[in-house]
PDB file of all heavy atoms in Angstrom:
ATOM      1  N   ALA A   1     175.669 -14.634  92.612  1.00  0.00           N
ATOM      2  CA  ALA A   1     175.170 -14.446  93.964  1.00  0.00           C
ATOM      3  C   ALA A   1     173.707 -14.844  94.011  1.00  0.00           C
ATOM      4  O   ALA A   1     172.974 -14.660  93.043  1.00  0.00           O
ATOM      5  CB  ALA A   1     175.340 -12.998  94.401  1.00  0.00           C
ATOM      6  N   PHE A   2     173.297 -15.367  95.136  1.00  0.00           N
ATOM      7  CA  PHE A   2     171.919 -15.806  95.325  1.00  0.00           C
ATOM      8  C   PHE A   2     171.005 -14.652  95.710  1.00  0.00           C
ATOM      9  O   PHE A   2     169.814 -14.685  95.459  1.00  0.00           O
ATOM     10  CB  PHE A   2     171.865 -16.903  96.391  1.00  0.00           C
ATOM     11  CG  PHE A   2     170.479 -17.370  96.707  1.00  0.00           C
ATOM     12  CD1 PHE A   2     169.744 -18.097  95.785  1.00  0.00           C
ATOM     13  CD2 PHE A   2     169.888 -17.057  97.918  1.00  0.00           C
ATOM     14  CE1 PHE A   2     168.456 -18.519  96.065  1.00  0.00           C
ATOM     15  CE2 PHE A   2     168.596 -17.476  98.209  1.00  0.00           C
ATOM     16  CZ  PHE A   2     167.887 -18.208  97.283  1.00  0.00           C
ATOM     17  N   ASN A   3     171.565 -13.614  96.333  1.00  0.00           N
ATOM     18  CA  ASN A   3     170.730 -12.514  96.802  1.00  0.00           C
ATOM     19  C   ASN A   3     171.499 -11.192  96.744  1.00  0.00           C
ATOM     20  O   ASN A   3     172.697 -11.165  96.462  1.00  0.00           O
ATOM     21  CB  ASN A   3     170.210 -12.789  98.218  1.00  0.00           C
ATOM     22  CG  ASN A   3     171.325 -12.963  99.223  1.00  0.00           C
ATOM     23  OD1 ASN A   3     172.205 -12.128  99.336  1.00  0.00           O
ATOM     24  ND2 ASN A   3     171.295 -14.061  99.964  1.00  0.00           N
ATOM     25  N   GLY A   4     170.807 -10.112  97.017  1.00  0.00           N
ATOM     26  CA  GLY A   4     171.407  -8.792  96.947  1.00  0.00           C
ATOM     27  C   GLY A   4     172.534  -8.573  97.931  1.00  0.00           C
ATOM     28  O   GLY A   4     173.534  -7.925  97.618  1.00  0.00           O
ATOM     29  N   ARG A   5     172.388  -9.099  99.140  1.00  0.00           N
ATOM     30  CA  ARG A   5     173.437  -8.960 100.149  1.00  0.00           C
ATOM     31  C   ARG A   5     174.738  -9.604  99.687  1.00  0.00           C
ATOM     32  O   ARG A   5     175.814  -9.030  99.825  1.00  0.00           O
ATOM     33  CB  ARG A   5     172.962  -9.597 101.462  1.00  0.00           C
ATOM     34  CG  ARG A   5     173.132  -8.710 102.642  1.00  0.00           C
ATOM     35  CD  ARG A   5     172.584  -9.335 103.914  1.00  0.00           C
ATOM     36  NE  ARG A   5     171.217  -8.974 104.222  1.00  0.00           N
ATOM     37  CZ  ARG A   5     170.788  -7.755 104.506  1.00  0.00           C
ATOM     38  NH1 ARG A   5     171.616  -6.750 104.470  1.00  0.00           N
ATOM     39  NH2 ARG A   5     169.536  -7.521 104.806  1.00  0.00           N
ATOM     40  N   ASP A   6     174.619 -10.814  99.135  1.00  0.00           N
ATOM     41  CA  ASP A   6     175.803 -11.506  98.615  1.00  0.00           C
ATOM     42  C   ASP A   6     176.413 -10.742  97.433  1.00  0.00           C
ATOM     43  O   ASP A   6     177.631 -10.685  97.282  1.00  0.00           O
ATOM     44  CB  ASP A   6     175.456 -12.930  98.176  1.00  0.00           C
ATOM     45  CG  ASP A   6     175.127 -13.851  99.340  1.00  0.00           C
ATOM     46  OD1 ASP A   6     175.394 -13.471 100.503  1.00  0.00           O
ATOM     47  OD2 ASP A   6     174.597 -14.946  99.088  1.00  0.00           O
ATOM     48  N   ALA A   7     175.565 -10.157  96.593  1.00  0.00           N
ATOM     49  CA  ALA A   7     176.058  -9.394  95.446  1.00  0.00           C
ATOM     50  C   ALA A   7     176.909  -8.214  95.903  1.00  0.00           C
ATOM     51  O   ALA A   7     177.987  -7.965  95.361  1.00  0.00           O
ATOM     52  CB  ALA A   7     174.892  -8.901  94.590  1.00  0.00           C
ATOM     53  N   VAL A   8     176.445  -7.501  96.914  1.00  0.00           N
ATOM     54  CA  VAL A   8     177.203  -6.359  97.433  1.00  0.00           C
ATOM     55  C   VAL A   8     178.542  -6.836  97.990  1.00  0.00           C
ATOM     56  O   VAL A   8     179.588  -6.225  97.746  1.00  0.00           O
ATOM     57  CB  VAL A   8     176.387  -5.585  98.496  1.00  0.00           C
ATOM     58  CG1 VAL A   8     177.239  -4.511  99.164  1.00  0.00           C
ATOM     59  CG2 VAL A   8     175.139  -4.966  97.861  1.00  0.00           C
ATOM     60  N   ALA A   9     178.534  -7.957  98.714  1.00  0.00           N
ATOM     61  CA  ALA A   9     179.784  -8.498  99.278  1.00  0.00           C
ATOM     62  C   ALA A   9     180.765  -8.887  98.172  1.00  0.00           C
ATOM     63  O   ALA A   9     181.971  -8.633  98.287  1.00  0.00           O
ATOM     64  CB  ALA A   9     179.469  -9.701 100.167  1.00  0.00           C
ATOM     65  N   ILE A  10     180.261  -9.470  97.101  1.00  0.00           N
ATOM     66  CA  ILE A  10     181.127  -9.843  95.973  1.00  0.00           C
ATOM     67  C   ILE A  10     181.738  -8.595  95.342  1.00  0.00           C
ATOM     68  O   ILE A  10     182.930  -8.552  95.035  1.00  0.00           O
ATOM     69  CB  ILE A  10     180.344 -10.664  94.928  1.00  0.00           C
ATOM     70  CG1 ILE A  10     180.059 -12.058  95.484  1.00  0.00           C
ATOM     71  CG2 ILE A  10     181.104 -10.745  93.604  1.00  0.00           C
ATOM     72  CD1 ILE A  10     179.043 -12.852  94.685  1.00  0.00           C
ATOM     73  N   VAL A  11     180.933  -7.564  95.160  1.00  0.00           N
ATOM     74  CA  VAL A  11     181.442  -6.329  94.567  1.00  0.00           C
ATOM     75  C   VAL A  11     182.499  -5.694  95.466  1.00  0.00           C
ATOM     76  O   VAL A  11     183.512  -5.192  94.980  1.00  0.00           O
ATOM     77  CB  VAL A  11     180.292  -5.341  94.258  1.00  0.00           C
ATOM     78  CG1 VAL A  11     180.829  -3.974  93.874  1.00  0.00           C
ATOM     79  CG2 VAL A  11     179.408  -5.898  93.152  1.00  0.00           C
ATOM     80  N   GLU A  12     182.303  -5.750  96.768  1.00  0.00           N
ATOM     81  CA  GLU A  12     183.316  -5.215  97.685  1.00  0.00           C
ATOM     82  C   GLU A  12     184.660  -5.917  97.498  1.00  0.00           C
ATOM     83  O   GLU A  12     185.707  -5.284  97.561  1.00  0.00           O
ATOM     84  CB  GLU A  12     182.861  -5.379  99.141  1.00  0.00           C
ATOM     85  CG  GLU A  12     181.812  -4.385  99.555  1.00  0.00           C
ATOM     86  CD  GLU A  12     181.365  -4.569 100.987  1.00  0.00           C
ATOM     87  OE1 GLU A  12     181.041  -5.714 101.379  1.00  0.00           O
ATOM     88  OE2 GLU A  12     181.340  -3.565 101.721  1.00  0.00           O
ATOM     89  N   ARG A  13     184.627  -7.225  97.267  1.00  0.00           N
ATOM     90  CA  ARG A  13     185.867  -8.005  97.104  1.00  0.00           C
ATOM     91  C   ARG A  13     186.455  -7.894  95.701  1.00  0.00           C
ATOM     92  O   ARG A  13     187.659  -7.766  95.543  1.00  0.00           O
ATOM     93  CB  ARG A  13     185.606  -9.485  97.415  1.00  0.00           C
ATOM     94  CG  ARG A  13     185.425  -9.803  98.867  1.00  0.00           C
ATOM     95  CD  ARG A  13     185.449 -11.306  99.127  1.00  0.00           C
ATOM     96  NE  ARG A  13     184.647 -12.097  98.214  1.00  0.00           N
ATOM     97  CZ  ARG A  13     183.371 -12.406  98.363  1.00  0.00           C
ATOM     98  NH1 ARG A  13     182.702 -11.978  99.412  1.00  0.00           N
ATOM     99  NH2 ARG A  13     182.747 -13.153  97.472  1.00  0.00           N
ATOM    100  N   ALA A  14     185.610  -7.983  94.673  1.00  0.00           N
ATOM    101  CA  ALA A  14     186.112  -8.141  93.303  1.00  0.00           C
ATOM    102  C   ALA A  14     185.995  -6.899  92.428  1.00  0.00           C
ATOM    103  O   ALA A  14     186.665  -6.814  91.410  1.00  0.00           O
ATOM    104  CB  ALA A  14     185.379  -9.299  92.621  1.00  0.00           C
ATOM    105  N   CYS A  15     185.132  -5.973  92.782  1.00  0.00           N
ATOM    106  CA  CYS A  15     184.878  -4.764  91.991  1.00  0.00           C
ATOM    107  C   CYS A  15     184.816  -5.096  90.485  1.00  0.00           C
ATOM    108  O   CYS A  15     185.641  -4.637  89.693  1.00  0.00           O
ATOM    109  CB  CYS A  15     185.925  -3.697  92.273  1.00  0.00           C
ATOM    110  SG  CYS A  15     185.354  -2.049  91.831  1.00  0.00           S
ATOM    111  N   PRO A  16     183.825  -5.909  90.080  1.00  0.00           N
ATOM    112  CA  PRO A  16     183.731  -6.293  88.664  1.00  0.00           C
ATOM    113  C   PRO A  16     183.385  -5.096  87.786  1.00  0.00           C
ATOM    114  O   PRO A  16     182.952  -4.056  88.273  1.00  0.00           O
ATOM    115  CB  PRO A  16     182.586  -7.321  88.662  1.00  0.00           C
ATOM    116  CG  PRO A  16     181.751  -6.937  89.836  1.00  0.00           C
ATOM    117  CD  PRO A  16     182.704  -6.413  90.864  1.00  0.00           C
ATOM    118  N   ASP A  17     183.582  -5.267  86.496  1.00  0.00           N
ATOM    119  CA  ASP A  17     183.240  -4.209  85.553  1.00  0.00           C
ATOM    120  C   ASP A  17     181.736  -3.966  85.526  1.00  0.00           C
ATOM    121  O   ASP A  17     181.292  -2.834  85.336  1.00  0.00           O
ATOM    122  CB  ASP A  17     183.709  -4.586  84.142  1.00  0.00           C
ATOM    123  CG  ASP A  17     185.215  -4.756  84.088  1.00  0.00           C
ATOM    124  OD1 ASP A  17     185.931  -3.906  84.644  1.00  0.00           O
ATOM    125  OD2 ASP A  17     185.669  -5.756  83.500  1.00  0.00           O
ATOM    126  N   ALA A  18     180.965  -5.039  85.692  1.00  0.00           N
ATOM    127  CA  ALA A  18     179.511  -4.923  85.620  1.00  0.00           C
ATOM    128  C   ALA A  18     178.846  -5.957  86.517  1.00  0.00           C
ATOM    129  O   ALA A  18     179.416  -7.009  86.801  1.00  0.00           O
ATOM    130  CB  ALA A  18     179.030  -5.110  84.183  1.00  0.00           C
ATOM    131  N   VAL A  19     177.627  -5.624  86.931  1.00  0.00           N
ATOM    132  CA  VAL A  19     176.790  -6.528  87.713  1.00  0.00           C
ATOM    133  C   VAL A  19     175.436  -6.589  87.026  1.00  0.00           C
ATOM    134  O   VAL A  19     174.835  -5.557  86.722  1.00  0.00           O
ATOM    135  CB  VAL A  19     176.608  -6.030  89.159  1.00  0.00           C
ATOM    136  CG1 VAL A  19     175.604  -6.869  89.917  1.00  0.00           C
ATOM    137  CG2 VAL A  19     177.932  -6.001  89.901  1.00  0.00           C
ATOM    138  N   LEU A  20     174.980  -7.793  86.768  1.00  0.00           N
ATOM    139  CA  LEU A  20     173.640  -8.025  86.233  1.00  0.00           C
ATOM    140  C   LEU A  20     172.806  -8.467  87.425  1.00  0.00           C
ATOM    141  O   LEU A  20     173.095  -9.497  88.039  1.00  0.00           O
ATOM    142  CB  LEU A  20     173.685  -9.113  85.158  1.00  0.00           C
ATOM    143  CG  LEU A  20     172.377  -9.482  84.480  1.00  0.00           C
ATOM    144  CD1 LEU A  20     171.841  -8.290  83.684  1.00  0.00           C
ATOM    145  CD2 LEU A  20     172.576 -10.685  83.580  1.00  0.00           C
ATOM    146  N   ILE A  21     171.802  -7.676  87.773  1.00  0.00           N
ATOM    147  CA  ILE A  21     171.073  -7.935  89.015  1.00  0.00           C
ATOM    148  C   ILE A  21     169.567  -7.856  88.795  1.00  0.00           C
ATOM    149  O   ILE A  21     169.080  -7.010  88.046  1.00  0.00           O
ATOM    150  CB  ILE A  21     171.556  -6.945  90.105  1.00  0.00           C
ATOM    151  CG1 ILE A  21     171.093  -7.355  91.492  1.00  0.00           C
ATOM    152  CG2 ILE A  21     171.168  -5.523  89.790  1.00  0.00           C
ATOM    153  CD1 ILE A  21     171.853  -6.669  92.603  1.00  0.00           C
ATOM    154  N   GLY A  22     168.852  -8.757  89.434  1.00  0.00           N
ATOM    155  CA  GLY A  22     167.398  -8.759  89.361  1.00  0.00           C
ATOM    156  C   GLY A  22     166.804  -7.776  90.348  1.00  0.00           C
ATOM    157  O   GLY A  22     167.489  -7.267  91.229  1.00  0.00           O
ATOM    158  N   LEU A  23     165.521  -7.514  90.229  1.00  0.00           N
ATOM    159  CA  LEU A  23     164.842  -6.607  91.162  1.00  0.00           C
ATOM    160  C   LEU A  23     164.382  -7.322  92.412  1.00  0.00           C
ATOM    161  O   LEU A  23     164.557  -6.824  93.514  1.00  0.00           O
ATOM    162  CB  LEU A  23     163.611  -5.987  90.493  1.00  0.00           C
ATOM    163  CG  LEU A  23     163.789  -4.707  89.736  1.00  0.00           C
ATOM    164  CD1 LEU A  23     162.437  -4.189  89.267  1.00  0.00           C
ATOM    165  CD2 LEU A  23     164.506  -3.661  90.533  1.00  0.00           C
ATOM    166  N   GLN A  24     163.782  -8.468  92.237  1.00  0.00           N
ATOM    167  CA  GLN A  24     163.180  -9.180  93.363  1.00  0.00           C
ATOM    168  C   GLN A  24     164.062 -10.348  93.762  1.00  0.00           C
ATOM    169  O   GLN A  24     164.182 -11.323  93.020  1.00  0.00           O
ATOM    170  CB  GLN A  24     161.774  -9.650  92.980  1.00  0.00           C
ATOM    171  CG  GLN A  24     160.891  -8.488  92.607  1.00  0.00           C
ATOM    172  CD  GLN A  24     159.625  -8.907  91.893  1.00  0.00           C
ATOM    173  OE1 GLN A  24     159.562  -9.956  91.291  1.00  0.00           O
ATOM    174  NE2 GLN A  24     158.616  -8.066  91.965  1.00  0.00           N
ATOM    175  N   MET A  25     164.705 -10.204  94.931  1.00  0.00           N
ATOM    176  CA  MET A  25     165.613 -11.235  95.429  1.00  0.00           C
ATOM    177  C   MET A  25     165.430 -11.371  96.931  1.00  0.00           C
ATOM    178  O   MET A  25     164.949 -10.445  97.589  1.00  0.00           O
ATOM    179  CB  MET A  25     167.072 -10.833  95.150  1.00  0.00           C
ATOM    180  CG  MET A  25     167.407 -10.657  93.705  1.00  0.00           C
ATOM    181  SD  MET A  25     169.102 -10.097  93.509  1.00  0.00           S
ATOM    182  CE  MET A  25     169.028  -8.484  94.238  1.00  0.00           C
ATOM    183  N   PRO A  26     165.871 -12.491  97.477  1.00  0.00           N
ATOM    184  CA  PRO A  26     165.843 -12.632  98.928  1.00  0.00           C
ATOM    185  C   PRO A  26     166.856 -11.681  99.589  1.00  0.00           C
ATOM    186  O   PRO A  26     167.826 -11.265  98.958  1.00  0.00           O
ATOM    187  CB  PRO A  26     166.258 -14.084  99.169  1.00  0.00           C
ATOM    188  CG  PRO A  26     166.359 -14.735  97.843  1.00  0.00           C
ATOM    189  CD  PRO A  26     166.326 -13.678  96.797  1.00  0.00           C
ATOM    190  N   SER A  27     166.644 -11.340 100.814  1.00  0.00           N
ATOM    191  CA  SER A  27     167.548 -10.552 101.663  1.00  0.00           C
ATOM    192  C   SER A  27     167.624  -9.069 101.324  1.00  0.00           C
ATOM    193  O   SER A  27     167.632  -8.241 102.213  1.00  0.00           O
ATOM    194  CB  SER A  27     168.972 -11.111 101.683  1.00  0.00           C
ATOM    195  OG  SER A  27     168.983 -12.401 102.191  1.00  0.00           O
ATOM    196  N   MET A  28     167.718  -8.731 100.054  1.00  0.00           N
ATOM    197  CA  MET A  28     167.832  -7.332  99.655  1.00  0.00           C
ATOM    198  C   MET A  28     167.397  -7.206  98.202  1.00  0.00           C
ATOM    199  O   MET A  28     167.865  -7.943  97.351  1.00  0.00           O
ATOM    200  CB  MET A  28     169.287  -6.876  99.800  1.00  0.00           C
ATOM    201  CG  MET A  28     169.533  -5.430  99.448  1.00  0.00           C
ATOM    202  SD  MET A  28     171.302  -4.997  99.488  1.00  0.00           S
ATOM    203  CE  MET A  28     171.709  -5.291 101.196  1.00  0.00           C
TER     204      MET A  28
END
């Protein structure tokens, strides 16, 4: 995902085992 908003949407659809996420991203 390019940003936090997209990451949340992906998790809603796929519910992965883990998410590796940065602190500073566009949108969220």
Side-chain angles (χ1 to χ4, degrees):
F2 177 69
N3 60 53
R5 230 177 266 296
D6 291 347
V8 173
I10 288 167
V11 170
E12 284 179 311
R13 287 191 314 271
C15 201
D17 299 315
V19 173
L20 180 65
I21 193 163
L23 271 186
Q24 301 165 336
M25 299 177 294
S27 299
M28 181 185 298

